[in-house]
Amino acid sequence: MNAVTMNFLSKIYTGGKKAVDSVSLSLSQGEVFGFLGPNGAGKTTTVKLLNGMLSPTEGNVSVFGINPSENPEKVHALSGVVTEHAQMYDNLTGIQNLVFYGSVFGLSKNDSEKRGVKLLEQLELGDAKDRKLAAYSTGMRQRLSLARALMHQPQILFLDEPTSGLDPESAQNVNSMIRRLAVENGITVFLCTHQLRYAQEVCTRYGLMAEGRLLAEGTLDALRNRICSGMTVKLKAKNLPEGLCRQTGEFTFELPLQSEEEIPQLVRRITDAGGQIYHISAELPSLEDIYFTLTENFKSRETGKEVSI
Amino acid sequence: MKNQITAIIKKDIRGITSNHRMFVTLLAVPIVLTVVVPTMFILIVRFAPSESADFQKLIAMLPMASQEEVSSESIVRLVLNYMLPIFFMLIPIMAASVMAACSFVGEKEKRTLETLLYCPLSLKQIFRAKVLAAFLLSMFVSAISFVVMLIVLEAETCLFTGFFILPDAKWLLVLLLVAPAISLIAITLIVKASAKAQSVEDAQQGAVFLIFPIIMLLVGQFTGVLLINAWVLLALGIVCAFLAILLLKQSMSHFKYETLLK
């Protein structure tokens, strides 16, 4: 059974704004899926549709076979959600908050306390567990939200910008925790972010969104093959043949190649022409490169449409 | 499921009781109402010159004036058994109205509502938990006020008149049936308004302008009933309790998460 299935999912808000536009997607269990796009791309609306907080205008959605619009409570029992709008109580301490949410999810007080303390330790909040939430920094609140979402050992995690406000060390810690949860515990992760570099570190598959539309989805290799094939070769060299490469610095150059097979040929050509190579590296297109190519294509298509209209 | 609802109730009550200043104010108003006001009556009865024309006029207006000779004891009994029960119909509503008004919209303003909605409870269950939390608080404040009132009143009457005046059976009906039923109606309406409101101020104003007149009207009717008969009081109490349960069951059936998070 798929963890998540969306079929032609659309959401139009009162007022006419189309936040999600005919998105079809499925996630297997244990996958870390990066749902990527800028602010306003429709990521948060999709998370709300997946949790039954919003009802779709068109299309349908299911989480572990359950329709969230019909049985939101059943979906909530299986899922943990971290979003910017889902905060906790300032008048309670870190551990009191976790015990409360544990109890609301049906855990006994004792189990909630044990699990809460363990999660706080894992997220480096052990020392702050008896501090009131009002005294927590943004990063600490964010990590506590992750702990809260994990209290009832969910089968799927919906994380909306989970590392925003975190310092690099904490972000890395959260990343490795997410990866561990997927690998060791088989938890499916639906991760929404606009930080593409961060997503590339954690996710196994990606969906790229813009203006409510899913522009492309697949693994990084699949996306590279489909959207941004080839690679960029970077060289530190002297006396290169004229016009072979684009110069980026005093002795640095770069040129696009289709595959690694072409590199020996390039090296031979340079050395035969009397050039000296000090360093050479090949860079595959990053998620950012793929995303920018996609959005540029999307924008030019949209502009074309507008012009033709 | 019961434990999950209990967790919400405990959290909501704690939210009020942990704010000591607010909690003391919450207790102070009813206690002033049920201790200071009757004390003033007793002092008037004890020290006012009973021969004065004004006092005689006042006595003549009392319900038992025609039936028996008016004594200090009968006036104190009148205050205890006819006037104070009315206060106990209002006290629980007054005590719970702030908490009830904040119930949903307060969470919305603190951005904790969405987190609560992500729990595996239906909207109806969350709504009931919110109503019950405010209801339990109101009953607690009411019980404390009653005990304090009784101790002070008995001590004062014993001191000034030398005898104890015990509350009659209608008190039981008021405290255990009528007051809880009326306050449950009011709390359900206020919590429902809180779910629709856009700010805490909106919800509180809604409670003051819409709920209180309705409740005053209801309480006003009971003032007359108190003078008539315990059985009529019992019947009306049952009707109110039935109405409260019906209201509680029907509320939120048309609510969606989307409406709440707007």
mmCIF file with all atom_site columns, all heavy atoms in Angstrom, chain B residues 241-255:
data_model
loop_
_atom_site.group_PDB
_atom_site.id
_atom_site.type_symbol
_atom_site.label_atom_id
_atom_site.label_alt_id
_atom_site.label_comp_id
_atom_site.label_asym_id
_atom_site.label_entity_id
_atom_site.label_seq_id
_atom_site.pdbx_PDB_ins_code
_atom_site.Cartn_x
_atom_site.Cartn_y
_atom_site.Cartn_z
_atom_site.occupancy
_atom_site.B_iso_or_equiv
_atom_site.pdbx_formal_charge
_atom_site.auth_seq_id
_atom_site.auth_comp_id
_atom_site.auth_asym_id
_atom_site.auth_atom_id
_atom_site.pdbx_PDB_model_num
ATOM 1   N N   . ALA B 1 241 ? -31.547 20.997 31.954 1.00 0.00 ? 241 ALA B N   1
ATOM 2   C CA  . ALA B 1 241 ? -30.476 20.001 31.815 1.00 0.00 ? 241 ALA B CA  1
ATOM 3   C C   . ALA B 1 241 ? -30.610 19.280 30.475 1.00 0.00 ? 241 ALA B C   1
ATOM 4   O O   . ALA B 1 241 ? -29.616 19.055 29.761 1.00 0.00 ? 241 ALA B O   1
ATOM 5   C CB  . ALA B 1 241 ? -30.546 18.999 32.971 1.00 0.00 ? 241 ALA B CB  1
ATOM 6   N N   . PHE B 1 242 ? -31.843 18.945 30.130 1.00 0.00 ? 242 PHE B N   1
ATOM 7   C CA  . PHE B 1 242 ? -32.115 18.264 28.865 1.00 0.00 ? 242 PHE B CA  1
ATOM 8   C C   . PHE B 1 242 ? -31.695 19.158 27.687 1.00 0.00 ? 242 PHE B C   1
ATOM 9   O O   . PHE B 1 242 ? -31.032 18.711 26.747 1.00 0.00 ? 242 PHE B O   1
ATOM 10  C CB  . PHE B 1 242 ? -33.607 17.922 28.793 1.00 0.00 ? 242 PHE B CB  1
ATOM 11  C CG  . PHE B 1 242 ? -33.997 17.194 27.551 1.00 0.00 ? 242 PHE B CG  1
ATOM 12  C CD1 . PHE B 1 242 ? -33.617 15.863 27.376 1.00 0.00 ? 242 PHE B CD1 1
ATOM 13  C CD2 . PHE B 1 242 ? -34.729 17.817 26.550 1.00 0.00 ? 242 PHE B CD2 1
ATOM 14  C CE1 . PHE B 1 242 ? -33.963 15.173 26.212 1.00 0.00 ? 242 PHE B CE1 1
ATOM 15  C CE2 . PHE B 1 242 ? -35.065 17.149 25.388 1.00 0.00 ? 242 PHE B CE2 1
ATOM 16  C CZ  . PHE B 1 242 ? -34.680 15.812 25.221 1.00 0.00 ? 242 PHE B CZ  1
ATOM 17  N N   . LEU B 1 243 ? -32.063 20.433 27.822 1.00 0.00 ? 243 LEU B N   1
ATOM 18  C CA  . LEU B 1 243 ? -31.720 21.411 26.783 1.00 0.00 ? 243 LEU B CA  1
ATOM 19  C C   . LEU B 1 243 ? -30.200 21.542 26.639 1.00 0.00 ? 243 LEU B C   1
ATOM 20  O O   . LEU B 1 243 ? -29.659 21.598 25.526 1.00 0.00 ? 243 LEU B O   1
ATOM 21  C CB  . LEU B 1 243 ? -32.324 22.763 27.171 1.00 0.00 ? 243 LEU B CB  1
ATOM 22  C CG  . LEU B 1 243 ? -32.408 23.825 26.097 1.00 0.00 ? 243 LEU B CG  1
ATOM 23  C CD1 . LEU B 1 243 ? -33.447 23.425 25.059 1.00 0.00 ? 243 LEU B CD1 1
ATOM 24  C CD2 . LEU B 1 243 ? -32.781 25.174 26.714 1.00 0.00 ? 243 LEU B CD2 1
ATOM 25  N N   . ALA B 1 244 ? -29.525 21.557 27.790 1.00 0.00 ? 244 ALA B N   1
ATOM 26  C CA  . ALA B 1 244 ? -28.061 21.703 27.786 1.00 0.00 ? 244 ALA B CA  1
ATOM 27  C C   . ALA B 1 244 ? -27.409 20.521 27.075 1.00 0.00 ? 244 ALA B C   1
ATOM 28  O O   . ALA B 1 244 ? -26.513 20.689 26.242 1.00 0.00 ? 244 ALA B O   1
ATOM 29  C CB  . ALA B 1 244 ? -27.557 21.806 29.220 1.00 0.00 ? 244 ALA B CB  1
ATOM 30  N N   . ILE B 1 245 ? -27.890 19.318 27.381 1.00 0.00 ? 245 ILE B N   1
ATOM 31  C CA  . ILE B 1 245 ? -27.309 18.114 26.771 1.00 0.00 ? 245 ILE B CA  1
ATOM 32  C C   . ILE B 1 245 ? -27.559 18.100 25.264 1.00 0.00 ? 245 ILE B C   1
ATOM 33  O O   . ILE B 1 245 ? -26.673 17.787 24.468 1.00 0.00 ? 245 ILE B O   1
ATOM 34  C CB  . ILE B 1 245 ? -27.845 16.843 27.468 1.00 0.00 ? 245 ILE B CB  1
ATOM 35  C CG1 . ILE B 1 245 ? -27.287 16.775 28.897 1.00 0.00 ? 245 ILE B CG1 1
ATOM 36  C CG2 . ILE B 1 245 ? -27.459 15.573 26.705 1.00 0.00 ? 245 ILE B CG2 1
ATOM 37  C CD1 . ILE B 1 245 ? -27.985 15.828 29.815 1.00 0.00 ? 245 ILE B CD1 1
ATOM 38  N N   . LEU B 1 246 ? -28.777 18.495 24.911 1.00 0.00 ? 246 LEU B N   1
ATOM 39  C CA  . LEU B 1 246 ? -29.139 18.540 23.484 1.00 0.00 ? 246 LEU B CA  1
ATOM 40  C C   . LEU B 1 246 ? -28.246 19.531 22.733 1.00 0.00 ? 246 LEU B C   1
ATOM 41  O O   . LEU B 1 246 ? -27.711 19.226 21.655 1.00 0.00 ? 246 LEU B O   1
ATOM 42  C CB  . LEU B 1 246 ? -30.605 18.963 23.369 1.00 0.00 ? 246 LEU B CB  1
ATOM 43  C CG  . LEU B 1 246 ? -31.295 18.669 22.052 1.00 0.00 ? 246 LEU B CG  1
ATOM 44  C CD1 . LEU B 1 246 ? -31.549 17.178 21.933 1.00 0.00 ? 246 LEU B CD1 1
ATOM 45  C CD2 . LEU B 1 246 ? -32.602 19.436 21.949 1.00 0.00 ? 246 LEU B CD2 1
ATOM 46  N N   . LEU B 1 247 ? -28.055 20.674 23.351 1.00 0.00 ? 247 LEU B N   1
ATOM 47  C CA  . LEU B 1 247 ? -27.234 21.733 22.754 1.00 0.00 ? 247 LEU B CA  1
ATOM 48  C C   . LEU B 1 247 ? -25.793 21.254 22.584 1.00 0.00 ? 247 LEU B C   1
ATOM 49  O O   . LEU B 1 247 ? -25.159 21.453 21.548 1.00 0.00 ? 247 LEU B O   1
ATOM 50  C CB  . LEU B 1 247 ? -27.279 22.953 23.681 1.00 0.00 ? 247 LEU B CB  1
ATOM 51  C CG  . LEU B 1 247 ? -26.957 24.308 23.105 1.00 0.00 ? 247 LEU B CG  1
ATOM 52  C CD1 . LEU B 1 247 ? -27.945 24.675 22.019 1.00 0.00 ? 247 LEU B CD1 1
ATOM 53  C CD2 . LEU B 1 247 ? -26.980 25.358 24.207 1.00 0.00 ? 247 LEU B CD2 1
ATOM 54  N N   . LEU B 1 248 ? -25.298 20.594 23.613 1.00 0.00 ? 248 LEU B N   1
ATOM 55  C CA  . LEU B 1 248 ? -23.923 20.085 23.593 1.00 0.00 ? 248 LEU B CA  1
ATOM 56  C C   . LEU B 1 248 ? -23.750 19.044 22.491 1.00 0.00 ? 248 LEU B C   1
ATOM 57  O O   . LEU B 1 248 ? -22.731 18.992 21.813 1.00 0.00 ? 248 LEU B O   1
ATOM 58  C CB  . LEU B 1 248 ? -23.591 19.482 24.964 1.00 0.00 ? 248 LEU B CB  1
ATOM 59  C CG  . LEU B 1 248 ? -22.137 19.142 25.248 1.00 0.00 ? 248 LEU B CG  1
ATOM 60  C CD1 . LEU B 1 248 ? -21.257 20.372 25.133 1.00 0.00 ? 248 LEU B CD1 1
ATOM 61  C CD2 . LEU B 1 248 ? -21.982 18.541 26.635 1.00 0.00 ? 248 LEU B CD2 1
ATOM 62  N N   . LYS B 1 249 ? -24.777 18.210 22.322 1.00 0.00 ? 249 LYS B N   1
ATOM 63  C CA  . LYS B 1 249 ? -24.700 17.147 21.305 1.00 0.00 ? 249 LYS B CA  1
ATOM 64  C C   . LYS B 1 249 ? -24.791 17.722 19.900 1.00 0.00 ? 249 LYS B C   1
ATOM 65  O O   . LYS B 1 249 ? -24.141 17.228 18.976 1.00 0.00 ? 249 LYS B O   1
ATOM 66  C CB  . LYS B 1 249 ? -25.815 16.117 21.521 1.00 0.00 ? 249 LYS B CB  1
ATOM 67  C CG  . LYS B 1 249 ? -25.518 15.195 22.683 1.00 0.00 ? 249 LYS B CG  1
ATOM 68  C CD  . LYS B 1 249 ? -26.300 13.922 22.584 1.00 0.00 ? 249 LYS B CD  1
ATOM 69  C CE  . LYS B 1 249 ? -25.723 12.906 23.554 1.00 0.00 ? 249 LYS B CE  1
ATOM 70  N NZ  . LYS B 1 249 ? -26.442 11.669 23.580 1.00 0.00 ? 249 LYS B NZ  1
ATOM 71  N N   . GLN B 1 250 ? -25.624 18.744 19.754 1.00 0.00 ? 250 GLN B N   1
ATOM 72  C CA  . GLN B 1 250 ? -25.853 19.283 18.415 1.00 0.00 ? 250 GLN B CA  1
ATOM 73  C C   . GLN B 1 250 ? -24.744 20.222 17.947 1.00 0.00 ? 250 GLN B C   1
ATOM 74  O O   . GLN B 1 250 ? -24.500 20.349 16.752 1.00 0.00 ? 250 GLN B O   1
ATOM 75  C CB  . GLN B 1 250 ? -27.192 20.056 18.387 1.00 0.00 ? 250 GLN B CB  1
ATOM 76  C CG  . GLN B 1 250 ? -28.400 19.165 18.408 1.00 0.00 ? 250 GLN B CG  1
ATOM 77  C CD  . GLN B 1 250 ? -28.399 18.155 17.262 1.00 0.00 ? 250 GLN B CD  1
ATOM 78  O OE1 . GLN B 1 250 ? -28.226 18.511 16.121 1.00 0.00 ? 250 GLN B OE1 1
ATOM 79  N NE2 . GLN B 1 250 ? -28.560 16.876 17.601 1.00 0.00 ? 250 GLN B NE2 1
ATOM 80  N N   . SER B 1 251 ? -24.066 20.851 18.919 1.00 0.00 ? 251 SER B N   1
ATOM 81  C CA  . SER B 1 251 ? -23.052 21.843 18.548 1.00 0.00 ? 251 SER B CA  1
ATOM 82  C C   . SER B 1 251 ? -21.945 21.200 17.763 1.00 0.00 ? 251 SER B C   1
ATOM 83  O O   . SER B 1 251 ? -21.618 20.043 17.963 1.00 0.00 ? 251 SER B O   1
ATOM 84  C CB  . SER B 1 251 ? -22.461 22.479 19.806 1.00 0.00 ? 251 SER B CB  1
ATOM 85  O OG  . SER B 1 251 ? -23.441 23.234 20.422 1.00 0.00 ? 251 SER B OG  1
ATOM 86  N N   . MET B 1 252 ? -21.359 21.934 16.876 1.00 0.00 ? 252 MET B N   1
ATOM 87  C CA  . MET B 1 252 ? -20.192 21.549 16.097 1.00 0.00 ? 252 MET B CA  1
ATOM 88  C C   . MET B 1 252 ? -20.476 20.543 14.990 1.00 0.00 ? 252 MET B C   1
ATOM 89  O O   . MET B 1 252 ? -19.563 20.151 14.289 1.00 0.00 ? 252 MET B O   1
ATOM 90  C CB  . MET B 1 252 ? -19.069 20.968 16.978 1.00 0.00 ? 252 MET B CB  1
ATOM 91  C CG  . MET B 1 252 ? -18.550 21.879 18.045 1.00 0.00 ? 252 MET B CG  1
ATOM 92  S SD  . MET B 1 252 ? -17.875 23.411 17.386 1.00 0.00 ? 252 MET B SD  1
ATOM 93  C CE  . MET B 1 252 ? -16.245 22.904 16.921 1.00 0.00 ? 252 MET B CE  1
ATOM 94  N N   . SER B 1 253 ? -21.755 20.125 14.854 1.00 0.00 ? 253 SER B N   1
ATOM 95  C CA  . SER B 1 253 ? -22.002 19.124 13.820 1.00 0.00 ? 253 SER B CA  1
ATOM 96  C C   . SER B 1 253 ? -21.741 19.705 12.427 1.00 0.00 ? 253 SER B C   1
ATOM 97  O O   . SER B 1 253 ? -21.419 18.971 11.509 1.00 0.00 ? 253 SER B O   1
ATOM 98  C CB  . SER B 1 253 ? -23.404 18.552 13.944 1.00 0.00 ? 253 SER B CB  1
ATOM 99  O OG  . SER B 1 253 ? -24.324 19.600 14.066 1.00 0.00 ? 253 SER B OG  1
ATOM 100 N N   . HIS B 1 254 ? -21.841 21.030 12.284 1.00 0.00 ? 254 HIS B N   1
ATOM 101 C CA  . HIS B 1 254 ? -21.594 21.621 10.965 1.00 0.00 ? 254 HIS B CA  1
ATOM 102 C C   . HIS B 1 254 ? -20.211 22.259 10.858 1.00 0.00 ? 254 HIS B C   1
ATOM 103 O O   . HIS B 1 254 ? -19.885 22.850 9.849  1.00 0.00 ? 254 HIS B O   1
ATOM 104 C CB  . HIS B 1 254 ? -22.675 22.670 10.650 1.00 0.00 ? 254 HIS B CB  1
ATOM 105 C CG  . HIS B 1 254 ? -24.050 22.090 10.678 1.00 0.00 ? 254 HIS B CG  1
ATOM 106 N ND1 . HIS B 1 254 ? -24.427 21.087 9.810  1.00 0.00 ? 254 HIS B ND1 1
ATOM 107 C CD2 . HIS B 1 254 ? -25.101 22.328 11.485 1.00 0.00 ? 254 HIS B CD2 1
ATOM 108 C CE1 . HIS B 1 254 ? -25.685 20.749 10.095 1.00 0.00 ? 254 HIS B CE1 1
ATOM 109 N NE2 . HIS B 1 254 ? -26.106 21.476 11.101 1.00 0.00 ? 254 HIS B NE2 1
ATOM 110 N N   . PHE B 1 255 ? -19.417 22.121 11.912 1.00 0.00 ? 255 PHE B N   1
ATOM 111 C CA  . PHE B 1 255 ? -18.107 22.755 11.881 1.00 0.00 ? 255 PHE B CA  1
ATOM 112 C C   . PHE B 1 255 ? -17.085 21.913 11.140 1.00 0.00 ? 255 PHE B C   1
ATOM 113 O O   . PHE B 1 255 ? -17.118 20.693 11.188 1.00 0.00 ? 255 PHE B O   1
ATOM 114 C CB  . PHE B 1 255 ? -17.605 22.998 13.305 1.00 0.00 ? 255 PHE B CB  1
ATOM 115 C CG  . PHE B 1 255 ? -17.948 24.356 13.810 1.00 0.00 ? 255 PHE B CG  1
ATOM 116 C CD1 . PHE B 1 255 ? -19.198 24.617 14.348 1.00 0.00 ? 255 PHE B CD1 1
ATOM 117 C CD2 . PHE B 1 255 ? -17.030 25.386 13.735 1.00 0.00 ? 255 PHE B CD2 1
ATOM 118 C CE1 . PHE B 1 255 ? -19.522 25.872 14.805 1.00 0.00 ? 255 PHE B CE1 1
ATOM 119 C CE2 . PHE B 1 255 ? -17.351 26.651 14.186 1.00 0.00 ? 255 PHE B CE2 1
ATOM 120 C CZ  . PHE B 1 255 ? -18.597 26.896 14.727 1.00 0.00 ? 255 PHE B CZ  1
#
